[in-house]
Amino acid sequence: MKKKNILKGVLFVGIGASIYGMLATFVKMAYHDGFTTSEVTTSQFVLGLAGLLILNFIQTLTSKQKLSLPNSKELRMLMLAGTSLGGTSLFYYIAVQYINVSIAIVLLMQSVWFSVVVESILTRKLPNARKVVSVVIVLAGTILATNLINMDIELDWHGVFWGLMAAASYTLTMFTSNTLATHLPVFRKSLIMLTGGSIVVFAFLFFAQIGPMYFDGLKTFYLNFTDNTEHIHPFNYSIFLTYGFVLALFGTIIPPILFNIGFPNAGLGLGSIVSSLELPVSVTMAFVLLGEKVLLIQWVGIILILFAIVLMNLPSKKEKEVSMAELS
């Protein structure tokens, strides 16, 4: 029975990671069709909120027991934590404007070693030797995967900056998701966090697209950050009918549900290894659908990063002994 649960967990996490890995390719396609970052993120979060509201309503009606509610402190903390969820999507999609999807996903995966640093700060303990080696391998793999050695692929520093910001925000999302209000039902917790993320997304929509159309002072302030005014125009609502549904489904509804079902069965270590499928799926999708150039040296770097993730999450000898003792 235990093996069956583990297999179920691995399957759910793997499918969730693969679906999430497809997301950036659809974002890039939306850009090619003239949609802006504001329109992409707004449609994803609005339809994501609508979907989760429906799922929460169905769960509340069909549940045989009373579902837990957050107290006021938990509500505030989850909303605040959700801003990192909105930040991750926003920063990642901005990065995709400047650099290839295959490069952006590699930068997002820097959250692997970001999380090691954060964990060390929170626990006030230095990481063990295996984690240090894993971080070094991730960095080496990143150099190869972004082709910094040969520089056959041009790297826009704007894209690199926003890609690393996405990784930092993603790291924060992972830590808060695993520690805050764990007693709440999955749909309810996801809805609250997504509401917090929506505040960030709507603020960006106002600042980067809608606001500068009506307020000269805001436009002047905005021009301090960029000279690009092409996306200052009325909101294109057709995004909801073209890409919005796919982005919401693949970005804010299906993967979180699958992860929340899969991780408890697979375990955090094995689940983290399987979730790294997001990296090769994202690169392959960009290669097949977008025709992005992916060199052999980049694939070597991607394999190194995947190896580092596996190495970092393998159980130690002590953990194996404890696990064997519990089974016996």
Side-chain angles (χ1 to χ4, degrees):
M1 189 71 178
K2 191 173 181 64
K3 287 184 178 178
K4 185 180 178 182
N5 286 338
I6 291 174
L7 181 62
K8 175 185 172 183
V10 167
L11 186 65
F12 275 67
V13 172
I15 294 172
S18 299
I19 289 173
Y20 198 71
M22 300 176 186
L23 196 62
T25 297
F26 290 110
V27 171
K28 198 82 167 182
M29 290 167 70
Y31 287 159
H32 288 164
D33 287 347
F35 295 108
T36 65
T37 303
S38 300
E39 289 162 350
V40 167
T41 51
T42 300
S43 65
Q44 178 182 328
F45 275 73
V46 167
L47 292 177
L49 280 171
L52 282 171
L53 273 170
I54 293 169
L55 290 172
N56 268 279
F57 181 70
I58 294 171
Q59 187 182 40
T60 303
L61 286 180
T62 57
S63 179
K64 295 179 181 178
Q65 56 186 13
K66 188 177 180 180
L67 300 176
S68 300
L69 290 169
N71 57 42
S72 57
K73 182 181 178 181
E74 287 174 334
L75 189 63
R76 288 195 301 270
M77 292 301 292
L78 284 171
M79 289 276 285
L80 184 62
T83 59
S84 66
L85 191 66
T88 301
S89 294
L90 192 59
F91 299 149
Y92 188 39
Y93 296 169
I94 293 175
V96 169
Q97 280 189 316
Y98 296 101
I99 55 180
N100 287 349
V101 169
S102 53
I103 303 296
I105 187 63
V106 168
L107 293 173
L108 182 65
M109 295 304 287
Q110 301 310 297
S111 58
V112 172
W113 69 267
F114 282 11
S115 62
V116 173
V117 174
V118 172
E119 185 181 43
S120 297
I121 293 171
L122 293 176
T123 60
R124 297 181 181 179
K125 292 180 181 178
L126 291 174
N128 58 39
R130 189 172 59 180
K131 286 187 177 180
V132 173
V133 171
S134 298
V135 167
V136 173
I137 294 173
V138 167
L139 293 174
T142 302
I143 292 172
L144 297 178
T146 53
N147 201 27
L148 287 175
I149 297 175
N150 297 320
M151 289 304 291
D152 286 345
I153 297 173
E154 291 185 15
L155 284 180
D156 190 311
W157 71 267
H158 295 89
V160 174
F161 171 77
W162 290 113
L164 292 175
M165 284 291 289
S169 188
Y170 187 48
T171 303
L172 185 59
T173 300
M174 286 192 296
F175 271 90
T176 53
S177 296
N178 291 328
T179 56
L180 290 176
T182 54
H183 64 92
L184 290 178
V186 172
F187 296 153
R188 189 163 290 176
K189 182 178 178 180
S190 298
L191 178 63
I192 297 168
M193 290 188 70
L194 198 62
T195 303
S198 297
I199 295 171
V200 174
V201 169
F202 294 154
F204 181 78
L205 171 66
F206 177 77
F207 172 77
Q209 184 167 336
I210 304 301
M213 289 171 46
Y214 302 102
F215 303 100
D216 291 335
L218 183 59
K219 185 174 182 178
T220 302
F221 178 70
Y222 171 78
L223 290 173
N224 290 324
F225 296 90
T226 178
D227 295 327
N228 182 12
T229 58
E230 291 181 3
H231 49 270
I232 299 177
H233 56 71
F235 191 91
N236 187 350
Y237 290 98
S238 65
I239 184 71
F240 288 101
L241 301 175
T242 50
Y243 293 98
F245 181 73
V246 174
L247 292 171
L249 208 59
F250 284 13
T252 52
I253 298 177
I254 294 180
I257 292 172
L258 293 178
F259 287 156
N260 279 292
I261 296 172
F263 269 102
N265 285 296
L268 189 58
L270 182 58
S272 298
I273 294 170
V274 177
S275 67
S276 63
L277 276 172
E278 178 186 339
L279 177 56
V281 168
S282 186
V283 175
T284 302
M285 286 285 289
F287 176 75
V288 174
L289 294 183
L290 300 176
E292 288 190 357
K293 184 179 180 183
V294 185
L295 305 175
L296 177 61
I297 191 173
Q298 290 178 269
W299 283 112
V300 173
I302 289 166
I303 291 169
L304 276 177
I305 293 172
L306 292 174
F307 172 72
I309 293 169
V310 172
L311 180 64
M312 188 178 294
N313 288 284
L314 285 175
S316 63
K317 185 178 179 181
K318 185 178 180 181
E319 287 171 336
K320 285 181 180 179
E321 288 174 354
V322 171
S323 180
M324 289 299 291
E326 288 176 349
L327 287 173
S328 59

